[in-house]
Amino acid sequence: MAAASASLSHLLLTPRRRAHPNPSHHPSRPITTALPRRRRPAPAISAAASDLLSPAPSLKSRLATGDTLYGLFLLSFSPTLAELAALAGYDYVVVDMEHGPGGIPEALACLRALDAARTPAVLRLPEASAVWAKKALDLGPAGLMLPAVESPAAAAEAVSHCRYPPRGVCGAAHPIVRASAYGLDDSYLSRCEDDTLIICQVETAAGIAEVDAIAAVDGVDVVQMGPLDLSASMGYLWDPGNRKVRAALREAERKVLEARKKKVAVATDGNAAYLGGFAMQNDPPEQLKLRGYHMVAGAADIGMFRKAALDDVKRFREAVMEIGEEGDEEEENEEKENDGYWSE
């Protein structure tokens, strides 16, 4: 049966050759031999098209080569804004399911927009749980951001949510999920753990106290500082730029960066996570970059739109006032020129 199928496929895929006419039927028609057709050369692929067709480097590989990555937080769950952020040149976009209004279906639409523009997507989960990690990983993001990690044990548990047994507890549906191209990507299982960036957020006073131990947990790729939640946990919710909050952040930064530098210089065993952070009004992204951060989230789409909208309205209101004042001045000048005399 297999041989018959193969034979049939061969017949279906091989073009039929036309039989030459029998000269006895057409004695006056000369017999000619068909010349072989010249094949057209395949069109050359431009460098830009070649880049689009080649796989984009993973966030992990870029960090390993020393790149400082600049990202944006997407809270609107707008695929259009996700696509625009990618085209603008951000190195990654964090789709925020912790504070944004969207869930898995809305995140999926944003991932598709980002993938089309060849920009890695990181999903920030509502909580560091096995259920959320499994559903997020099945979508195929470049990384996961896990909130409120306060101890090495919590970090190890968070990592286990992102790995298949026996190294973790993530449920397996790889033959049918988007992360494996719905089962078409045979290499998925062999590379998924190496490619997926695991980011643990350290954003409380308890977490800051354990930050060096958290950064040393196997599988934690990035320790992400959370200045706003940290200020709240220290009693300074209304004052995130408080000097005590800044001092705690600087100390945590120092510990993570020193461990990373030591690992690179001496090639020591064990893990040493990269350092990630959020920019704040009192701590702009350029300052984080200069202090040695490896990943910097500079803004959120909602905040950027809010600022642009307020500035736009302000410009318009001020322009109206200027026009009105200019009109008043013209009337006053006309009255002075006429000096009370009306002329046709």
Side-chain angles (χ1 to χ4, degrees), residues 301-344:
D301 61 337
I302 296 295
M304 294 175 77
F305 181 76
R306 177 191 63 204
K307 183 181 185 304
L310 290 172
D311 289 347
D312 184 55
V313 172
K314 181 181 178 183
R315 279 193 303 269
F316 181 79
R317 301 298 185 208
E318 290 176 350
V320 169
M321 291 299 293
E322 289 171 3
I323 293 171
E325 291 170 0
E326 185 179 344
D328 293 341
E329 289 176 2
E330 288 178 357
E331 290 177 2
E332 290 175 5
N333 291 335
E334 286 178 2
E335 289 177 1
K336 290 178 180 178
E337 290 175 2
N338 292 332
D339 196 23
Y341 177 75
W342 178 262
S343 171
E344 292 291 331

Side-chain angles (χ1 to χ4, degrees), residues 11-161:
L11 291 173
L12 291 173
L13 296 174
T14 304
R16 294 182 179 180
R17 295 180 180 177
R18 291 185 178 181
H20 292 295
N22 189 328
S24 62
H25 293 167
H26 304 281
S28 61
R29 183 179 298 173
I31 299 175
T32 59
T33 303
L35 295 175
R37 292 184 177 181
R38 293 178 62 185
R39 290 186 177 180
R40 293 182 179 178
I45 299 176
S46 67
S50 178
D51 288 343
L52 287 173
L53 293 173
S54 62
S58 67
L59 293 176
K60 273 191 179 182
S61 65
R62 292 194 61 190
L63 287 169
T65 58
D67 288 352
T68 300
L69 306 180
Y70 189 50
L72 176 78
F73 267 65
L74 189 81
L75 278 80
S76 67
F77 280 81
S78 165
T80 299
L81 292 183
E83 184 178 39
L84 180 56
L87 295 173
Y90 286 101
D91 296 308
Y92 65 97
V93 172
V94 180
V95 182
D96 191 353
M97 294 195 293
E98 182 183 9
H99 292 293
I104 291 294
E106 293 81 9
L108 175 57
C110 295
L111 259 66
R112 284 175 171 152
L114 291 166
D115 284 347
R118 292 170 50 79
T119 297
V122 173
L123 293 183
R124 178 154 81 156
L125 305 186
E127 61 181 12
S129 70
V131 172
W132 275 110
K134 173 175 58 179
K135 292 180 76 66
L137 286 170
D138 283 348
L139 298 185
L144 294 187
M145 187 177 289
L146 309 158
V149 175
E150 295 188 318
S151 68
E157 185 179 7
V159 171
S160 74
H161 299 161

Side-chain angles (χ1 to χ4, degrees), residues 112-282:
R112 284 175 171 152
L114 291 166
D115 284 347
R118 292 170 50 79
T119 297
V122 173
L123 293 183
R124 178 154 81 156
L125 305 186
E127 61 181 12
S129 70
V131 172
W132 275 110
K134 173 175 58 179
K135 292 180 76 66
L137 286 170
D138 283 348
L139 298 185
L144 294 187
M145 187 177 289
L146 309 158
V149 175
E150 295 188 318
S151 68
E157 185 179 7
V159 171
S160 74
H161 299 161
C162 305
R163 290 179 169 174
Y164 292 117
R167 301 183 68 196
V169 297
C170 183
H174 53 89
I176 55 172
V177 296
R178 182 177 185 272
S180 66
Y182 306 101
L184 299 175
D185 183 358
D186 294 333
S187 67
Y188 172 70
L189 285 179
S190 63
R191 62 173 176 77
C192 61
E193 291 182 6
D194 291 334
D195 287 352
T196 304
L197 193 74
I198 299 176
I199 305 171
C200 286
Q201 287 185 243
V202 176
E203 48 189 347
T204 63
I208 289 290
E210 297 269 19
V211 68
D212 46 351
I214 292 171
V217 171
D218 180 50
V220 175
D221 298 307
V222 179
V223 167
Q224 178 89 7
M225 298 290 110
L228 201 58
D229 281 317
L230 174 62
S231 66
S233 76
M234 295 176 65
Y236 299 103
L237 177 61
W238 302 106
D239 186 16
N242 186 280
R243 62 179 182 81
K244 292 183 180 179
V245 177
R246 294 201 310 270
L249 275 174
R250 297 297 187 277
E251 180 63 15
E253 292 170 8
R254 183 188 63 78
K255 290 179 179 179
V256 176
L257 289 172
E258 282 186 358
R260 184 70 205 171
K261 287 177 182 176
K262 183 178 179 181
K263 179 175 176 61
V264 172
V266 188
T268 56
D269 293 333
N271 190 59
Y274 297 98
L275 180 64
F278 302 96
M280 300 285 288
Q281 265 193 332
N282 63 302

